[in-house]
Amino acid sequence: MYDLIIIRYGEIGLKGDNINDFINQLVANIKRATSDLGDFEITTIFGRIFLKAEAAKINAICQRLINVPGIISLSPAQKFNYSSKKVSEFDQSDFNRLKKQVVRLFRAEVQNYPTTFKVETTRADKSFPIKSPALSRELGAEILRQVEGPETELKVDVHQPEHLLEVEIRRGKIYIFVRREAGPGGLPVKSSGKALLLLSGGIDSPVAGWLGLKRGLSLEAVYFNSPPYTSERAKQKVIDLTKILSRYGGEIKLQIPYFTAIQQAILKKCPRRYTVTIMRRMMIRIANQLAAQNESLALVTGENLGQVASQTLEGLRSSDQVAKFPVLRPLITMDKNEIIKLAKKIASYQISIRPHEDCCTIFVPQNPVTQPKLATVEYAEEELAIEELVKEAIAKMEIITINEGAC
Amino acid sequence: MKKEIYLDNSATTKPTESVIKAVTDALKKYYGNPSSLHSYGIQAEKIINNSRCLLADYLNINPVELIFTSGGTESNNLAIQGITKAYQQRGKHLITSPIEHASVNNVFLNLAQAGWDIDFVKVNKKGQLDLDHLNNLIRDDTVLVSLMQVNNELGTVNNLAKIANIIKNKNPLTLFHSDGVQGFAKIYTDLANIPIDLYSISGHKFHAPKGIGALYLKSGIELQPIFKGGGQENKWRSGTENVPAIAGLGAALKELPHLNSENKLAIQLTELKNYLIKELTKIDSVIINSPQQSAPHIINFSVPGIRGETMVHALAAQGVYLATGSACSSKSKGSRILKACGLDSKLSESALRVSLAADLKQADLDYFISSLKEQIDFLKLF
């Protein structure tokens, strides 16, 4: 039924001279997010991106695009082909055909009655002979005449219509559409620099990564692997989560340091109640080095205030104390159900709930300390050969470059 | 080359060359539908009959008493669901044990919800049944008793003849089903000489392909089929027969020692098992959970302090593949079966199961033992 998708971007429009860089980046990101669905023609005209595709693929593409950062909204649309040479010569027979097409589209998209609607025209191309209010009025009247009936109660509501049928006339082309789907907003990935995501197999960290992407970051990731305490399947889970992020964020270098020796050392040498606090500090220390090596400028974590014992202000402070980069925590004030909702939206949820444990859940003591004092933490980790341990973890690191969307 | 020592033969076995050939031959040449009237159909039917006769011979029963199914789970479901539906007018009482396979246990839990009265025979820490308790549980309205032949986690063996006689002496109308998935072939089972009514087997536990199993249904016993359809398998199990897998099953049976001869398979496995137990006992931190008189192929042991799952991953990295007591997650630690036996949580969380096949060599077991020792030293934290 549809032949194209009209994509609107928001904030980018406010940028100055480098606006084209932003748009080109967004177009590249759109191509990548849909690459497994096909190779589509994408054009940009001031303020809009047009993606042409076969009708059968339009819905699948829309489902992807609603998660591509930088997109404000999108509409699957039809192009109207008029028979005259120029849009300025749009005549009565064209108008009659336009009316028919509009009615057909309305019927196909609007299923539930009684309902209300409104027709709105954007006449950016002023050579089009009929003025916007007149065109809207005539098309609206035609819809009422053709569609309204005892089973299909229909009214015009110009203030809060349930359906808005839009006609856009731009540069000699006429588009009609009824649906507007919201995108995530934000900025195109790669327009804000690079950060390192601390990724576990849980629900939170992939969402944090996606929110980072939404503000235009490009990401690298680190997963702390503790074989044999954690399984091959736990690692595969993280790889699959990285693929989800890669769909929206392009190539992601997944770095997998060997964390086993560190965990063993902590458990052998540090007080039981402090093991989680110290483990998180060791993770940050490894992340510091990886971020520096890859020229990342921040760390991103899925931490969330008060969710677990280590995520108190005291716990976060003890991590930040060893961090050499700003630690971005996009989920810090969210509730778990808000996070889950986002996880479902980006399709990471189904992967995150696979039952394989990661290193964070496997060694949790009965009563972890919730308000670690910095001085006590420092004392508690005194026995650890911190530098050597970090070095060894990185020396035995595995690197997987992920450059594909998950299926 | 990296070592590959497969010690998880109770989970599944490697198909032998002759099994693979039988399956591929059937796929390539005998692809007809056994119900078809033409020669392709007849050829396929012959394959099924051939495997059916071999299996009947092995169990000393009549071929018409065998129903081919998709495996152990379906056989158990068909037996328990089918009997309880066909004989519900006889009563509402059923007996089983708390350590049955999930495909038995979950069917009973379901029946309990549907209003059946279910009793569980007591078991001890080694998984052995309290047969006096069983005797006391049997009532006039007991429709079915289902007790497994060999426990899949501990290797505990139940004497089917003894159990069947207790049941039939107390109530001749009570039917007896046994899940023989782990017992078949390892323990000779002459069904003609045991007053048993139903017996489940699964092909992939003895080198046949996955997706094929059978249920023995004694002549004269009724069953309500689960599947409605074309009435294959003498009306008991509708659905086009899995000819390639049935061919594979036949090939696997041909490699087993015959029922009336010495059970060479069991002897070989027992030798390996005894050697392994001797070596395991030498390791201080190992505790054997299996009983002394266990099935010839299963040894369950614990290394308290090291989670079973962790040890499985550690040994897999060394090329040694075994199992935990059963799959566990952070939410339900340890095995349902070991818990039901009353095993301490320290033992059940650290339980490991080795299950043997006849092609293993003593050197393989030595490698396993030395890897196990190494990993215990590496993983022991306290």
Coordinates of all heavy atoms in Angstrom, one line a residue, chain A residues 226-230 258-270 272 275 279 359 362-365 384, chain B residues 285 303-307 310-311 373-382:
Chain A
S226 N 34.3 -14.3 33.8 CA 34.9 -15.1 34.9 C 34.7 -16.6 34.7 O 34.1 -17.3 35.5 CB 34.3 -14.7 36.3 OG 34.5 -13.4 36.5
P227 N 35.3 -17.1 33.6 CA 35.2 -18.6 33.5 C 36.1 -19.3 34.5 O 37.1 -18.7 34.9 CB 35.7 -18.8 32.1 CG 36.7 -17.7 31.8 CD 36.1 -16.5 32.6
P228 N 35.7 -20.4 35.0 CA 34.5 -21.2 34.7 C 33.4 -20.8 35.7 O 32.4 -21.5 35.6 CB 35.0 -22.6 35.0 CG 36.0 -22.4 36.2 CD 36.7 -21.1 36.0
Y229 N 33.5 -19.8 36.5 CA 32.4 -19.4 37.3 C 31.2 -19.0 36.5 O 30.0 -19.1 36.9 CB 32.8 -18.3 38.3 CG 33.9 -18.8 39.2 CD1 35.2 -18.4 39.0 CD2 33.6 -19.6 40.3 CE1 36.2 -18.8 39.9 CE2 34.7 -20.1 41.1 CZ 36.0 -19.6 40.9 OH 37.0 -20.1 41.7
T230 N 31.5 -18.4 35.4 CA 30.4 -18.0 34.4 C 30.6 -18.9 33.2 O 31.7 -19.3 32.9 CB 30.5 -16.5 34.0 OG1 31.7 -16.3 33.5 CG2 30.3 -15.6 35.2
Y258 N 39.9 -11.0 31.2 CA 39.8 -12.2 32.1 C 39.7 -11.8 33.5 O 40.7 -11.3 34.1 CB 41.0 -13.1 31.8 CG 41.1 -14.3 32.6 CD1 40.3 -15.4 32.3 CD2 42.0 -14.4 33.7 CE1 40.4 -16.6 33.1 CE2 42.1 -15.6 34.4 CZ 41.3 -16.7 34.1 OH 41.4 -17.8 34.9
F259 N 38.5 -11.9 34.1 CA 38.3 -11.4 35.4 C 38.4 -12.4 36.6 O 38.3 -12.1 37.7 CB 36.9 -10.8 35.4 CG 36.6 -9.7 36.4 CD1 37.4 -8.5 36.4 CD2 35.6 -9.8 37.3 CE1 37.2 -7.5 37.3 CE2 35.4 -8.8 38.3 CZ 36.2 -7.6 38.3
T260 N 38.6 -13.7 36.2 CA 38.5 -14.8 37.2 C 39.5 -14.6 38.3 O 39.2 -14.6 39.5 CB 38.8 -16.1 36.5 OG1 38.0 -16.2 35.3 CG2 38.6 -17.3 37.4
A261 N 40.8 -14.3 37.9 CA 41.8 -14.2 38.9 C 41.5 -13.0 39.9 O 41.8 -13.1 41.1 CB 43.2 -14.0 38.2
I262 N 41.0 -12.0 39.4 CA 40.6 -10.8 40.2 C 39.6 -11.2 41.2 O 39.7 -11.0 42.4 CB 40.1 -9.6 39.4 CG1 41.3 -9.1 38.6 CG2 39.5 -8.5 40.3 CD1 41.0 -7.9 37.7
Q263 N 38.5 -11.9 40.8 CA 37.5 -12.3 41.7 C 38.0 -13.3 42.7 O 37.7 -13.2 43.9 CB 36.3 -12.9 40.9 CG 35.5 -11.8 40.3 CD 34.2 -12.3 39.8 OE1 34.1 -13.2 39.0 NE2 33.1 -11.7 40.3
Q264 N 38.9 -14.2 42.3 CA 39.4 -15.2 43.3 C 40.2 -14.4 44.3 O 40.2 -14.7 45.5 CB 40.3 -16.2 42.5 CG 39.4 -17.2 41.8 CD 40.3 -18.3 41.1 OE1 41.4 -18.0 40.7 NE2 39.7 -19.5 41.0
A265 N 41.0 -13.5 43.8 CA 41.9 -12.7 44.8 C 41.0 -11.9 45.8 O 41.3 -11.9 47.0 CB 42.8 -11.8 44.0
I266 N 40.0 -11.3 45.3 CA 39.1 -10.5 46.2 C 38.5 -11.5 47.2 O 38.5 -11.2 48.4 CB 38.0 -9.8 45.4 CG1 38.6 -8.7 44.5 CG2 37.0 -9.2 46.3 CD1 37.6 -8.1 43.5
L267 N 38.0 -12.6 46.8 CA 37.3 -13.5 47.7 C 38.3 -14.1 48.7 O 38.0 -14.4 49.9 CB 36.6 -14.6 46.9 CG 35.3 -14.2 46.3 CD1 34.9 -15.1 45.2 CD2 34.2 -14.0 47.3
K268 N 39.6 -14.3 48.3 CA 40.5 -14.9 49.2 C 41.1 -13.8 50.2 O 41.4 -14.1 51.3 CB 41.7 -15.5 48.4 CG 41.4 -16.9 47.9 CD 42.5 -17.4 47.1 CE 42.1 -18.7 46.4 NZ 43.0 -19.1 45.3
K269 N 41.2 -12.6 49.7 CA 42.0 -11.6 50.5 C 41.2 -10.5 51.2 O 41.7 -9.8 52.0 CB 43.0 -11.0 49.6 CG 44.1 -12.0 49.2 CD 45.2 -11.4 48.4 CE 46.2 -12.5 48.1 NZ 47.1 -12.1 47.0
C270 N 39.9 -10.3 50.7 CA 39.2 -9.1 51.2 C 38.0 -9.5 52.1 O 37.5 -10.6 51.9 CB 38.7 -8.3 50.0 SG 40.0 -7.8 48.9
R272 N 34.5 -10.3 53.4 CA 33.4 -10.8 52.6 C 32.4 -9.7 52.2 O 31.9 -9.6 51.1 CB 32.7 -11.9 53.4 CG 31.8 -12.9 52.6 CD 32.7 -14.0 52.0 NE 31.8 -14.9 51.3 CZ 31.6 -14.9 50.0 NH1 32.2 -14.1 49.2 NH2 30.7 -15.8 49.5
T275 N 33.2 -7.4 49.2 CA 33.7 -8.0 47.9 C 33.1 -7.3 46.7 O 33.7 -7.1 45.7 CB 33.4 -9.5 47.8 OG1 32.1 -9.8 48.2 CG2 34.3 -10.3 48.8
M279 N 35.0 -5.3 43.9 CA 34.9 -5.9 42.5 C 34.5 -4.7 41.5 O 35.1 -4.6 40.5 CB 33.8 -6.9 42.5 CG 33.7 -7.6 41.1 SD 32.4 -8.9 41.2 CE 31.0 -7.8 41.0
C359 N 29.2 -12.4 36.3 CA 30.1 -12.4 37.4 C 29.5 -11.5 38.6 O 30.0 -11.6 39.7 CB 31.5 -11.8 37.0 SG 31.4 -10.1 36.4
I362 N 27.1 -13.9 40.8 CA 27.5 -15.2 41.2 C 28.2 -15.2 42.6 O 28.2 -16.2 43.3 CB 28.4 -15.9 40.1 CG1 28.2 -17.4 40.1 CG2 29.8 -15.5 40.2 CD1 28.4 -18.0 38.7
F363 N 28.8 -14.1 43.0 CA 29.6 -14.1 44.2 C 29.0 -13.2 45.3 O 29.7 -12.7 46.1 CB 31.0 -13.7 44.0 CG 31.9 -14.7 43.2 CD1 32.4 -14.4 42.0 CD2 32.1 -15.9 43.8 CE1 33.2 -15.4 41.3 CE2 32.8 -16.9 43.1 CZ 33.4 -16.6 41.9
V364 N 27.8 -12.9 45.1 CA 27.2 -11.9 46.0 C 27.1 -12.4 47.4 O 26.6 -13.5 47.7 CB 25.8 -11.5 45.6 CG1 25.2 -10.5 46.5 CG2 25.8 -10.8 44.2
P365 N 27.7 -11.7 48.4 CA 27.7 -12.2 49.8 C 26.3 -12.0 50.4 O 25.5 -11.3 49.8 CB 28.7 -11.3 50.5 CG 28.8 -10.1 49.7 CD 28.5 -10.5 48.3
L384 N 45.4 -6.5 48.0 CA 45.3 -6.9 46.5 C 46.5 -6.2 45.8 O 46.8 -5.1 46.0 CB 44.0 -6.4 45.9 CG 42.7 -7.0 46.3 CD1 41.6 -6.3 45.5 CD2 42.7 -8.5 46.0
Chain B
S285 N 38.4 -34.3 48.8 CA 37.2 -33.5 48.9 C 36.0 -34.0 48.1 O 35.0 -33.4 48.0 CB 37.6 -32.1 48.4 OG 38.4 -32.2 47.2
V303 N 31.7 -32.2 45.1 CA 32.9 -31.5 45.7 C 32.4 -30.3 46.5 O 32.3 -29.2 45.9 CB 33.8 -31.1 44.5 CG1 35.2 -30.6 45.1 CG2 34.0 -32.2 43.5
P304 N 32.0 -30.5 47.7 CA 31.4 -29.4 48.5 C 32.3 -28.2 48.4 O 33.5 -28.2 48.5 CB 31.4 -30.0 49.9 CG 31.4 -31.5 49.7 CD 32.2 -31.7 48.5
G305 N 31.6 -27.0 48.2 CA 32.3 -25.7 48.1 C 32.5 -25.3 46.7 O 32.8 -24.1 46.5
I306 N 32.4 -26.2 45.7 CA 32.5 -25.7 44.3 C 31.2 -26.0 43.7 O 30.8 -27.2 43.6 CB 33.7 -26.4 43.6 CG1 35.0 -26.1 44.3 CG2 33.7 -26.0 42.2 CD1 36.1 -26.9 43.8
R307 N 30.5 -25.0 43.1 CA 29.2 -25.3 42.5 C 29.4 -26.2 41.3 O 30.3 -26.1 40.5 CB 28.6 -23.9 42.0 CG 28.1 -23.1 43.2 CD 27.6 -21.8 42.7 NE 26.7 -21.9 41.6 CZ 25.8 -21.0 41.3 NH1 25.7 -19.9 42.0 NH2 25.0 -21.2 40.3
T310 N 30.0 -24.5 38.0 CA 31.3 -24.0 37.8 C 32.3 -25.1 37.4 O 33.1 -24.9 36.5 CB 31.8 -23.4 39.1 OG1 30.9 -22.3 39.5 CG2 33.2 -22.8 39.0
M311 N 32.2 -26.3 38.1 CA 33.1 -27.4 37.7 C 32.8 -27.9 36.3 O 33.8 -28.2 35.6 CB 32.9 -28.5 38.8 CG 33.9 -29.6 38.6 SD 35.7 -29.1 38.6 CE 36.0 -29.2 40.3
K373 N 41.2 -33.1 39.7 CA 42.1 -32.7 40.8 C 42.6 -31.2 40.6 O 42.6 -30.4 41.5 CB 43.3 -33.6 40.9 CG 42.9 -35.0 41.6 CD 44.2 -35.8 41.7 CE 43.9 -37.2 42.0 NZ 45.0 -38.1 41.6
E374 N 43.1 -31.0 39.4 CA 43.7 -29.6 39.1 C 42.6 -28.6 39.3 O 42.9 -27.5 39.9 CB 44.0 -29.6 37.6 CG 45.4 -30.0 37.2 CD 45.6 -30.0 35.7 OE1 45.0 -29.2 35.0 OE2 46.3 -30.9 35.3
Q375 N 41.4 -28.8 38.8 CA 40.4 -27.8 38.9 C 39.9 -27.6 40.3 O 39.5 -26.5 40.7 CB 39.2 -28.1 37.9 CG 39.6 -28.1 36.5 CD 40.2 -26.7 36.1 OE1 39.7 -25.7 36.5 NE2 41.3 -26.8 35.3
I376 N 39.9 -28.7 41.1 CA 39.5 -28.5 42.5 C 40.5 -27.6 43.2 O 40.2 -26.7 43.9 CB 39.5 -29.9 43.2 CG1 38.3 -30.7 42.7 CG2 39.4 -29.7 44.7 CD1 38.3 -32.2 43.3
D377 N 41.8 -27.8 42.9 CA 42.8 -26.9 43.5 C 42.6 -25.5 43.1 O 42.8 -24.5 43.8 CB 44.2 -27.4 43.1 CG 44.6 -28.7 43.8 OD1 43.9 -29.0 44.8 OD2 45.5 -29.4 43.3
F378 N 42.3 -25.3 41.8 CA 42.2 -24.0 41.2 C 40.9 -23.3 41.8 O 40.9 -22.1 42.1 CB 42.1 -24.0 39.7 CG 41.8 -22.7 39.0 CD1 42.8 -21.7 39.1 CD2 40.7 -22.5 38.3 CE1 42.6 -20.5 38.5 CE2 40.4 -21.3 37.7 CZ 41.4 -20.3 37.8
L379 N 39.9 -24.0 41.9 CA 38.6 -23.4 42.3 C 38.3 -23.3 43.8 O 37.4 -22.5 44.2 CB 37.4 -24.1 41.6 CG 37.4 -24.1 40.1 CD1 36.4 -25.0 39.5 CD2 37.2 -22.7 39.6
K380 N 39.0 -24.1 44.5 CA 38.8 -24.0 46.0 C 39.2 -22.7 46.5 O 40.3 -22.2 46.3 CB 39.6 -25.1 46.7 CG 38.9 -26.4 46.8 CD 38.5 -26.7 48.2 CE 37.4 -27.8 48.1 NZ 36.9 -28.3 49.3
L381 N 38.2 -22.0 47.1 CA 38.6 -20.6 47.5 C 38.9 -20.5 49.0 O 39.6 -19.6 49.4 CB 37.4 -19.7 47.2 CG 37.2 -19.4 45.7 CD1 35.9 -18.7 45.5 CD2 38.3 -18.6 45.2
F382 N 38.4 -21.5 49.7 CA 38.6 -21.3 51.2 C 39.2 -22.6 51.8 O 39.0 -23.7 51.2 CB 37.3 -21.0 51.9 CG 36.6 -19.8 51.2 CD1 35.5 -20.0 50.4 CD2 37.1 -18.5 51.4 CE1 34.9 -18.9 49.8 CE2 36.6 -17.5 50.8 CZ 35.4 -17.6 50.0

